[in-house]
Amino acid sequence: MSLSMFKKIVDEYKQLGGKRVSITPIIGEIFTDPQIFKKIRYLEKKKIEYGFYTNTILLHQYIGEILNSKIKKLYIDIADVIPRYDAEVFQISETLSKKRLETLLVLLEKIKKEKSKLVVQFCFRGKRSPRKIFNDLKKLPFFEIGRASCRERV
């Protein structure tokens, strides 16, 4: 959607009393939109709350911009912490799944290092039971970064 069309729709929505939008595409990745940060800034200017999901395939290109933005919460669509299972659900290569998971680790480490207030919420849609996923999670760097971050916020 063009930026001008987006602004027109947002303006009409605001006039009707709209307060919150989800800007997640039905299919695909939010960061394929080259104007996504302009759209986010426009929503912020209009004082409209927003949320969106990312599958993190393109996230590595935008970590700096995300951390320097006013984005409060990032919803991460993830299937599993083990690349083989994650790849099956997303129907991507295991190599790409590993890259996604490595990008998440980089993001979490930068959030911690920069003491960012960005909240990352993982939204699992795994093939395996939550018990198996979380048992494996305890063995991975995600767990230690998240645990340290939680301790710092308390």
Side-chain angles (χ1 to χ4, degrees):
M1 174 186 313
S2 72
L3 184 59
S4 60
M5 175 64 79
F6 181 83
K7 287 181 175 182
K8 182 179 183 221
I9 291 168
V10 168
D11 291 344
E12 289 178 16
Y13 180 68
K14 180 74 174 179
Q15 287 177 345
L16 293 170
K19 295 178 181 174
R20 182 160 180 28
V21 296
S22 175
I23 52 176
T24 303
I26 294 172
I27 298 175
E29 166 60 41
I30 187 106
F31 295 116
T32 59
D33 181 346
Q35 303 205 4
I36 190 58
F37 287 99
K38 288 181 182 177
K39 292 175 181 176
I40 287 170
R41 285 189 292 275
Y42 193 72
L43 289 168
E44 291 168 349
K45 177 181 171 185
K46 293 293 183 172
K47 298 190 182 341
I48 294 178
E49 292 181 35
Y50 58 88
F52 61 88
Y53 288 80
T54 174
N55 62 27
T56 71
I57 289 174
L58 299 175
L59 185 68
H60 65 281
Q61 298 174 33
Y62 300 101
I63 289 176
E65 199 159 358
I66 289 167
L67 292 175
N68 291 323
S69 74
K70 294 179 183 175
I71 296 172
K72 295 175 185 169
K73 188 181 267 188
L74 192 59
Y75 297 92
I76 305 290
D77 192 10
I78 188 169
D80 207 298
V81 295
I82 304 298
R84 179 175 54 137
Y85 300 117
D86 186 67
E88 285 177 25
V89 171
F90 278 93
Q91 298 180 351
I92 58 176
S93 71
E94 195 170 325
T95 301
L96 184 54
S97 178
K98 285 178 186 175
K99 182 179 176 184
R100 283 173 12 102
L101 295 170
E102 288 168 1
T103 297
L104 286 174
L105 283 173
V106 169
L107 174 66
L108 293 173
E109 288 168 352
K110 286 189 179 214
I111 288 170
K112 181 180 174 187
K113 181 181 176 189
E114 296 178 19
K115 297 183 179 171
S116 170
K117 293 186 179 185
L118 176 66
V119 173
V120 175
Q121 181 172 326
F122 292 95
C123 305
F124 283 91
R125 56 177 172 131
K127 288 176 72 171
R128 300 187 307 149
S129 73
R131 178 182 306 267
K132 288 180 181 178
I133 292 171
F134 286 100
N135 279 337
D136 284 340
L137 180 65
K138 289 179 184 177
K139 302 171 191 170
L140 299 171
F142 289 111
F143 188 72
E144 285 306 314
I145 292 170
R147 226 169 58 176
S149 178
C150 288
R151 281 194 303 262
E152 289 171 7
R153 291 182 185 183
V154 172

